[in-house]
Structures are given as structure tokens and as C-alpha cells.
């Protein structure tokens, strides 16, 4: 029903595609982590002046910064690809340990 709503096209014309890309990538990172509002993870993506995509991702454990990655890329053409790149970089910086700890706390 919502896909066929007459205002959908008008609203789509107002949308910033770069912002949509970044927002979708940020949300996909949280989704891939199984994240929700309770998970202490923050992701911020934006386009640099040079046209690259800059990503900052923070993972907290025990109220302290546990893992942080920052990288730039000009390769991803889809938000999902950018999200997967972010996950791989977080995994390389001890993310698995944090996720196990968070899972224990939820039980």
C-alpha cells in the first residue's frame, strides 16, 4: 500500500541519495551485528571532500571504548558492501570478544 502511495514519488524527489547511502550502510552494520538500541555500538559514515566514504565505528564494553575503526574507501557501490567492510575491520580489532560479552549480559 505504501509503495503505491501518490506522495511517495514526490518524497523520493526530495531525498538526498548520498545521505540515504550512508544511513543505509550505518543501519546495515548494526543489523549484521544483531544490534538493537541496547547494543553499545556507534557507526557514522559520510562523504569526504575528496569524494571518498569515511566510516567511524565504535564498540563499547563495560562503559569503555573497546574497539574503534576509522577508514576511507572509494570502492563500495552499495551500502551493504560498505557495511561488510566495516564489520571485517571491527572483527580484526577484537569485536568477537565484545559480542560474546554482550550476549552473556542479555541472558
Amino acid at each position: 500500500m505504501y509503495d503505491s502511495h501518490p506522495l511517495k514519488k514526490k518524497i523520493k524527489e526530495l531525498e538526498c541519495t548520498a545521505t540515504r547511502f550512508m544511513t543505509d550502510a550505518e543501519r546495515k552494520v548494526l543489523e549484521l551485528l544483531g544490534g538493537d538500541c541496547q547494543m553499545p555500538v556507534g557507526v557514522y559514515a559520510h562523504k569526504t571532500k575528496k569524494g571518498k566514504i569515511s566510516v567511524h565505528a565504535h564498540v563499547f564494553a563495560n562503559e569503555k571504548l573497546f574497539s574503534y575503526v576509522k577508514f576511507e574507501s572509494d570502492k563500495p557501490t552499495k551500502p551493504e558492501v560498505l557495511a561488510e567492510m566495516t564489520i571485517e575491520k571491527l572483527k580484526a580489532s577484537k569485536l568477537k570478544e565484545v559480542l560474546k560479552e554482550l550476549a552473556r549480559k542479555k541472558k
Side-chain angles (χ1 to χ4, degrees):
M1 177 178 177
Y2 292 110
D3 288 339
S4 63
H5 195 281
L7 289 178
K8 184 167 182 156
K9 184 179 178 189
K10 293 289 184 191
I11 292 171
K12 187 83 171 161
E13 291 171 8
L14 298 173
E15 184 176 67
C16 174
T17 55
T19 300
R20 167 60 61 193
F21 181 96
M22 302 306 166
T23 303
D24 287 349
E26 294 164 355
R27 289 178 178 169
K28 187 67 176 176
V29 169
L30 293 174
E31 179 186 322
L32 290 172
L33 291 173
D36 56 20
C37 294
Q38 303 302 313
M39 183 176 269
V41 175
V43 183
Y44 172 64
H46 65 95
K47 202 165 210 172
T48 68
K49 291 179 182 178
K50 295 180 181 179
K52 292 187 176 191
I53 298 169
S54 177
V55 178
H56 302 254
H58 302 77
V59 178
F60 295 86
N62 298 323
E63 299 180 14
K64 295 180 182 175
L65 181 62
F66 184 82
S67 180
Y68 171 73
V69 296
K70 176 184 175 185
F71 68 96
E72 289 187 355
S73 179
D74 54 2
K75 296 178 183 177
T77 57
K78 295 181 179 182
E80 296 82 10
V81 173
L82 184 61
E84 289 167 6
M85 290 171 64
T86 304
I87 294 295
E88 288 306 311
K89 291 184 182 295
L90 283 169
K91 282 182 180 177
S93 59
K94 302 181 182 179
L95 176 67
K96 288 181 183 179
E97 294 172 28
V98 174
L99 293 176
K100 284 180 187 176
E101 183 177 330
L102 290 171
R104 280 195 307 266
K105 285 184 178 183
K106 281 187 174 182
K107 291 181 181 180

